[in-house]
Amino acid sequence: MRLIAGVDIGNSTTEVCVGEVSENGTLTFHAGSSCPTTGTKGTVENVHGIKTALSQAMEKIGKTLDSLYCVRLNEAAPVIGDTAMETLTETIITDSSMIGHNPATPAGAGQAVGEILVYEHLMRAVKDTPYIVAVSREHPYEEIAAQINLLADRLQITGLILQADEAVLVYNRLHKKLPIIDEVLHIDRLPDGVLATIEVALPGQTIRMLSNPYGIATLLQLNAEETRAVTPIAKSLIGKRSAVVLKTPGGNVHENVLPAGEIYLNGKETISINLDEGAEKIMKAVSAAGDIYDISGQSDTNVGNMFTRIKQGMSQLDPTSASDIRITDILAVDTLAPVLISGALAGETCLEKAVGIAAMVKTQKLPMQEIAARLKTELGTDVTVAGVEAVMASLGALTTPGTKLPLAILDMGGGSTDAAVISENGQVTMTHQAGAGELVSMLIETELGLGDRRIAEQIKKYPLAKVESLFHMRMENGQMTFVEDSIDPRFFGRVILLTENGYVRIEQDIPMEKIVQVRRDAKRKVFTANAFRALKKVAPCHDLKNISNVVLVGGSAQDFEIPEMLMEAFAEYRIVCGRGNIRGTEGPRNAVATGLVLSYIGKQI
């Protein structure tokens, strides 16, 4: 009797399968385990994680590591599934042309037009001129409200702009209700005497006039050329709860296209494509390049620096010479990124065009033999590098009930999406594509402006709900769920994540519907697009209609919505697609490790 362990070193997780082979060649699976990968995939730092996963699996069957007959490793080429975000446009404002805004608690509702009047200059105001009064935080809300009430009959005050977060406090004390905007950080930069317009939307709504160039033109009486000039302003104010636009003759607002740089795809021939062409054209160029040997970028540009940074990162992890480190695939995705507006007065951001890129990096030499030698020394047992990852995953996927040859697999991990087709005669065609779970997390983090990759990861993995009372919540699908025990008051009125360990509150004030939309769009852009791209490469005659069955394996196949998305996407091709259930017990995980154990039997025949 021999205990055989298969070890799959992944980008994020190291998985183990332990099987027992009898003297007559019968294989019995005993246990599986997983733990986080230590170090970058395919480097000697993986040894610690491998030993941890092996120990966990052996403990399940009451055995120690020295009971193992041999350990079989996948050929884990060092792959960096790196991601980067390159902004293609930026909005630049000079001469205090606008201060688009989105405070949490403006007060009042509607639009107001008038000259900016600094609070300290109230005594200079004249009777028949409309004013919007700007007040610094040096003045308490009681004083502001009392002074505005005192002057309400004598002056034509149409609105207020406050530096402190006190709009509601002032509004509640006014005899004549006005639209009030607060939390304007650099209120001292407001030019006194300049014509301005403000707008505050009703609760639950967004502004309508100032997010429309013709609305701004109506309020500030602009001509056609001036209306064209304020279009970037209107664009930056879309979705805001409140806003201010100033009419300054010397003001200049323009949308700048950043020099992102050229991408050079070295395949059958060298193809160049500019990053600012957008993701669709970039991916068409990647497809046209065929089998890509290396990808590089124009020197001293955003994209060139990104590719250089990725290769330098790999050279620090692997002793391979720099000339042997190659980027063999990229996935580009169009997105929007909140970027600080140059020249804005309150730290406002604007959603700018951007391209997210995932890159796959490979080296000429695999350090797997060094990993195997280190494990052999530390475990005192035979360790071999036994198989290519996609081939082993195909073998493991065949243990899913209801599958047969020919069969296609999609292995969706953290850094890459791998695909393979195994024909009826056992021939395997495979491909490795850049882009998977890490790129999805980056898109979620960027588009929602989270500034926290950890919460972006959780948003990717778990469904959402809105706590509407201490005893019920509204799920993201609209279903109302009631609970017997009172919900912690900290979650009341907040969007939460439903994790296996309890509720996690989303600290940012983002509507649940927007989070769901961004999450689903990110998954479609990455997983659905990459699934089609990968399967077309490995399908007979590169035609998806020649594939009848697809088994989804890997960590991302456990996602609560990705498999359903792919099932819908493949429906028109009449492809049977679903999560794998490796060995009938493991779900979509453990396919490669299981395949490594199965391949041992094949070697013995």
Side-chain angles (χ1 to χ4, degrees), residues 102 205-207 211 235-241:
N102 202 35
Q205 299 184 21
T206 58
I207 60 172
S211 60
K235 184 198 76 169
S236 71
L237 298 177
I238 292 172
K240 304 296 187 186
R241 172 81 191 279

Side-chain angles (χ1 to χ4, degrees), residues 351-366:
L351 285 176
E352 304 285 2
K353 296 176 185 176
V355 174
I357 293 180
M360 176 172 284
V361 186
K362 290 187 178 179
T363 60
Q364 289 288 85
K365 300 176 183 178
L366 301 179

